[in-house]
Amino acid sequence: VVVPTFVTPNACGVSSILEASATGRPLIVVDNPGIHDFVVPNETCLMVPPNDATALREAIRFLLANPLEGQRLADGARTV
C-alpha cells in the first residue's frame, strides 16, 4: 500500500496506514511529521521524502523485487 500524502501538520493518511498494517500489507509512506506516531521507518514501512517521485518509484520497485522484505515490514506493522 502506498500512502503518498502531502506534508501537513495533521496526521493525514492514518486510516490507510492502519488498515494496511492490520491486513498485513507492506507499506510505503511519505515522510510527514503527522504520521510519525503511527509508523517506524524500516520496521513497519518504507518512508520516502515528500515530493520525490524517484524515491517513491524506487521504493515500489524495491518491494516488488523483494517480497520477503515486504513481508518483514508487514509483520512488523502488525506487531507494533
Side-chain angles (χ1 to χ4, degrees):
V1 174
V2 178
V3 184
T5 60
F6 290 105
V7 174
T8 61
N10 61 344
C12 62
V14 171
S15 294
S16 298
I17 290 168
L18 295 177
E19 288 178 17
S21 298
T23 57
R25 302 292 187 258
L27 184 61
I28 301 170
V29 299
V30 169
D31 188 3
N32 183 351
I35 64 166
H36 287 187
D37 289 338
F38 302 94
V39 296
V40 180
N42 299 318
E43 289 184 30
T44 65
C45 69
L46 293 181
M47 188 174 282
V48 297
N51 302 313
D52 190 338
T54 301
L56 183 59
R57 180 182 63 237
E58 292 307 314
I60 293 168
R61 285 182 175 169
F62 175 79
L63 286 183
L64 288 173
N66 298 282
L68 293 178
E69 180 64 11
Q71 189 61 55
R72 183 190 70 78
L73 292 170
D75 291 345
R78 291 187 79 171
T79 60
V80 172

